[in-house]
Amino acid sequence: MPAPNRQGLLSIGEVASRTGLAVSAIRYYDDEGLVAARRTPGGKRMFLRSDIRRLSFILIAQQLGFSLEEIRAQLKQLPLERTPNKRDWEKISRGFRAHLDERIGMMERLRDRLDGCIGCGCLSLETCKLYNPGDKASQTGTGPRLVVQTSIGETST
């Protein structure tokens, strides 16, 4: 891999090589304002080394199911002109922790309720975790209430 230029900037190809992202994805994230490429007089995109971490964070956050809007909101807390430090990343971690805890809880409820459903074999609708006689779950909202509901009348959102 070529060395960064004298200003410490990396080409889009170098950043793609370091992050594993496609060049087109990096361009998209730049166009969306998630990273801020510098332009050469010829219009070539150049990136700071700190953009490698920003792009890696975007990739990880997307794999965890966060939307670009959620990711953008978190990235606004990071400095653009320097590599984020431990304190910067701790802010983002706190912001994502509540969302991650909610998702973990929902996945655990789904796992537990599906285990009960699979074990039931639909032989006993009285004990089925997902049976909804009279559509009672609709009183607490729309969607898959028996999975997202933490307890009667309470949902995680």
Side-chain angles (χ1 to χ4, degrees):
M1 175 167 62
N5 67 20
R6 68 174 191 254
Q7 290 123 351
L9 298 175
L10 302 169
S11 72
I12 196 166
E14 292 167 324
V15 173
S17 174
R18 292 286 306 275
T19 61
L21 288 165
V23 168
S24 60
I26 297 169
R27 281 190 200 109
Y28 175 74
Y29 296 141
D30 183 29
D31 292 343
E32 289 292 310
L34 298 170
V35 291
R38 283 79 180 146
R39 298 287 184 140
T40 66
K44 183 177 175 183
R45 297 174 204 239
M46 301 297 288
F47 295 87
L48 295 172
R49 287 191 169 280
S50 59
D51 289 326
I52 292 171
R53 287 202 177 134
R54 292 175 73 86
L55 289 163
S56 296
F57 172 76
I58 294 165
L59 179 63
I60 292 165
Q62 282 189 305
Q63 289 176 351
L64 290 172
F66 290 97
S67 70
L68 282 183
E69 281 307 312
E70 290 169 316
I71 295 167
R72 180 179 285 109
Q74 294 301 319
L75 285 175
K76 284 182 180 177
Q77 299 177 63
L78 292 181
L80 277 175
E81 297 299 323
R82 68 170 170 78
T83 300
N85 60 31
K86 182 179 179 182
R87 189 173 310 159
D88 297 323
W89 288 113
E90 285 172 349
K91 282 184 205 174
I92 287 182
S93 175
R94 282 191 302 273
F96 270 11
R97 180 172 293 279
H99 295 289
L100 289 170
D101 288 343
E102 280 181 32
R103 288 179 186 183
I104 289 168
M106 187 184 319
M107 292 174 80
E108 287 174 341
R109 285 189 302 281
L110 176 61
R111 178 204 58 215
D112 295 346
R113 290 172 183 169
L114 284 179
D115 283 351
C117 184
I118 293 166
C120 159
C122 290
L123 297 175
S124 172
L125 292 179
E126 302 302 319
T127 61
C128 180
K129 300 283 187 183
L130 299 177
Y131 182 55
N132 183 19
D135 197 23
K136 290 179 187 170
S138 69
Q139 296 170 8
T140 62
T142 61
R145 307 314 306 159
L146 297 177
V147 174
V148 296
Q149 221 169 5
T150 56
S151 64
I152 303 289
E154 183 181 329
T155 59
S156 67
T157 51

